[in-house]
């Protein structure tokens, strides 16, 4: 994964699943000072990476998987799209992304 010249990792290799339709795509999350990046494992059917600019995030919140399991995170972006993840330590990750957004003054 290539970083931009102004970019650096804040957190790397966070195990995660990203919901794409009915498939929970397994992979890893990478948080930089500019982006949230999801890299799927190569054995998934849907193996395209996802990059979300920190500047594009309008909301990030906790969500429950299967309505009751407290391990989900939802990221909403300016164009109206929502990206739903399953992660451990979601509160820590949500705060990290929110703090990064505040530091960017966006």
């Amino acid at each position: 994964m290539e970083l931009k010249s102004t970019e650096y990792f804040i957190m790397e290799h966070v195990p995660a699943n990203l919901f794409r339709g009915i498939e929970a795509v397994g992979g890893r999350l990478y948080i930089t000072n500019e982006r949230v990046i999801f890299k799927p494992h190569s054995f998934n059917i849907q193996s395209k990476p996802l990059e979300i600019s920190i500047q594009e995030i309008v909301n990030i919140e906790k969500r429950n998987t299967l309505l009751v399991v407290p391990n989900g995170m939802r990221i909403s972006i300016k164009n109206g799209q929502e990206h739903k993840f399953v992660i451990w330590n979601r509160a820590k990750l949500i705060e990290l992304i929110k703090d990064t957004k505040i530091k960017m003054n966006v």
Side-chain angles (χ1 to χ4, degrees):
M1 170 185 334
E2 286 193 38
L3 297 182
K4 300 171 187 174
S5 62
T6 58
E7 195 173 25
Y8 55 87
F9 286 113
I10 296 172
M11 187 173 278
E12 300 179 69
H13 306 289
V14 178
N17 289 321
L18 168 64
F19 285 102
R20 288 186 165 156
I22 60 169
E23 185 183 4
V25 179
R28 302 269 180 195
L29 273 177
Y30 299 82
I31 312 300
T32 76
N33 59 312
E34 298 180 15
R35 298 179 288 169
V36 175
I37 304 163
F38 177 76
K39 289 195 67 170
H41 300 304
S42 59
F43 56 81
N44 289 295
I45 294 169
Q46 300 183 55
S47 58
K48 184 178 177 186
L50 171 70
E51 294 184 15
I52 303 169
S53 168
I54 299 286
Q55 295 177 344
E56 292 295 310
I57 296 173
V58 293
N59 192 33
I60 182 168
E61 62 189 358
K62 295 176 183 176
R63 64 178 292 276
N64 290 340
T65 306
L66 301 173
L67 303 176
V68 295
V69 183
N71 65 349
M73 172 178 75
R74 176 180 316 156
I75 298 178
S76 303
I77 58 177
K78 289 179 181 177
N79 69 6
Q81 289 182 333
E82 290 186 343
H83 301 285
K84 298 173 184 175
F85 296 90
V86 175
I87 55 169
W88 297 109
N89 290 326
R90 67 181 179 176
K92 178 182 176 183
L93 198 58
I94 289 170
E95 286 307 310
L96 179 71
I97 295 168
K98 284 181 177 180
D99 288 347
T100 302
K101 187 167 175 65
I102 289 168
K103 288 176 185 172
M104 290 182 80
N105 294 315
V106 292

